[in-house]
Amino acid sequence: MAKFSVSRRIAVAIFVYTVCFSVSLVYALPYDDITKTVDKYELPNLPYGYGELEPYVDEATLRVHHLGHHAGYASKLNAALTKWRTEADVDPVASKSILEILQHLDQIPATHKGPIRNFGGGYVNHNIYWSVMSSNPRNLTRLPEGELLQLINTHFGNYTTFKSTFTTQANALFGSGYVWLNVKLDSAGNEALLMSSSVNQDSPISDGLYPILVIDVWEHAYYLKHQNKRANHVESWWKVVDWNRVQGLRSWWKKALEESKREEL
């Protein structure tokens, strides 16, 4: 009986650890890192395995995109921040998080603005991009629900019109960049949804917007699978959009803004 009791306790402990670890993986999403004030930004873990977005996003592309391109932006961002922060007359903005830095891009000295915009934007944009996708092994048609669907209906007429417009913008964007769905707040704090596009690594965060959905249409996001066929990439991407995570990001922005206001008091 004693042996059974010990074994049972061990089994329960392993189960509890596994559940807690799984929960941490679910809720530790890449965008959480952008509010941190650190000397060095790390490449975030993906919230899924490299092969888990198959067949819509292939494993080979995802590996190169994350471990090559995103890692490169993180490394170059860190180098740019170190250079800026070690100057004799350090700017107080330089000591803030990369989120706050991008929100105050116009305050960055001209000599540092380009690298911070490009590498900081590249780091943050990818953190958000990874966070709004998840595996879809049963090829389900996933749709927004609740308040988020109501907002989409209010600002775009219906979900079908929204998806069509977003797809058109993604396919039409010239060169490299992103298409976004953002929350925009008026002076009273009321939410509106705004669709936007950005070139290179520019971020809507620098325009006072709060992005909740994004597609990366740089060729490195799809070229190993789709070559130059961007439209195929866009069509496949809709299958891995996780609307629960989009809503989660919307809620995260609300919390981040509330905390920012408290810090200002």
Side-chain angles (χ1 to χ4, degrees):
M1 179 66 70
K3 290 184 178 179
F4 174 79
S5 179
V6 170
S7 299
R8 186 173 183 180
R9 286 199 297 270
I10 292 173
V12 170
I14 292 172
F15 172 77
V16 171
Y17 173 82
T18 302
V19 169
C20 292
F21 182 71
S22 299
V23 169
S24 70
L25 287 178
V26 170
Y27 289 100
L29 290 167
Y31 55 72
D32 288 319
D33 290 348
I34 69 176
T35 60
K36 297 177 181 177
T37 302
V38 294
D39 293 331
K40 181 180 179 181
Y41 285 95
E42 301 289 341
L43 179 69
N45 293 322
L46 297 181
Y48 32 75
Y50 289 111
E52 290 183 17
L53 298 188
E54 291 271 12
Y56 313 107
V57 179
D58 63 294
E59 180 176 349
T61 295
L62 190 55
R63 283 186 181 276
V64 173
H65 197 173
H66 181 237
L67 297 175
H69 296 279
H70 194 190
Y73 285 117
S75 176
K76 291 174 182 177
L77 167 63
N78 290 329
L81 286 173
T82 297
K83 185 177 180 180
W84 181 21
R85 288 169 172 170
T86 53
E87 286 189 343
D89 299 320
V90 66
D91 191 312
V93 177
S95 63
K96 297 182 180 297
S97 69
I98 188 57
L99 170 60
E100 293 173 289
I101 288 171
L102 290 178
Q103 288 175 325
H104 299 89
L105 196 62
D106 58 336
Q107 297 180 27
I108 299 177
T111 53
H112 300 290
K113 187 174 182 178
I116 297 298
R117 180 182 62 236
N118 294 334
F119 305 135
Y123 178 75
V124 170
N125 294 347
H126 283 92
N127 281 31
I128 296 173
Y129 177 63
W130 306 134
S131 298
V132 296
M133 298 185 289
S134 70
S135 62
N136 186 3
R138 292 191 291 163
N139 191 29
L140 299 175
T141 298
R142 304 193 289 199
L143 301 171
E145 299 176 344
E147 284 187 0
L148 182 57
L149 179 59
Q150 292 175 15
L151 282 169
I152 289 173
N153 290 342
T154 297
H155 293 93
F156 300 100
N158 53 59
Y159 174 73
T160 300
T161 300
F162 158 74
K163 182 179 177 182
S164 176
T165 304
F166 194 100
T167 298
T168 298
Q169 284 203 25
N171 287 327
L173 182 65
F174 181 76
S176 301
Y178 302 83
V179 175
W180 308 83
L181 178 65
N182 310 281
V183 168
K184 183 178 182 179
L185 299 177
D186 63 20
S187 57
N190 298 311
E191 284 182 284
L193 293 183
L194 177 68
M195 196 180 298
S196 68
S197 59
S198 61
V199 297
N200 299 321
Q201 293 298 348
D202 290 355
S203 173
I205 290 171
S206 301
D207 297 320
L209 301 174
Y210 307 98
I212 59 173
L213 177 68
V214 59
I215 183 171
D216 185 344
V217 293
W218 282 67
E219 283 195 350
H220 65 234
Y222 60 88
Y223 65 111
L224 293 181
K225 180 178 177 68
H226 298 295
Q227 289 82 49
N228 64 335
K229 300 179 178 67
R230 183 191 289 181
N232 292 353
H233 163 59
V234 176
E235 182 180 1
S236 294
W237 171 79
W238 283 112
K239 283 292 187 178
V240 293
V241 171
D242 186 328
W243 288 103
N244 289 327
R245 289 188 173 175
V246 175
Q247 174 56 42
L249 180 51
R250 174 174 169 252
S251 299
W252 180 87
W253 279 118
K254 288 183 178 180
K255 183 179 178 181
L257 289 170
E258 289 171 358
E259 290 177 353
S260 178
K261 289 178 180 178
R262 283 197 297 268
E263 290 175 359
E264 292 175 358
L265 295 176

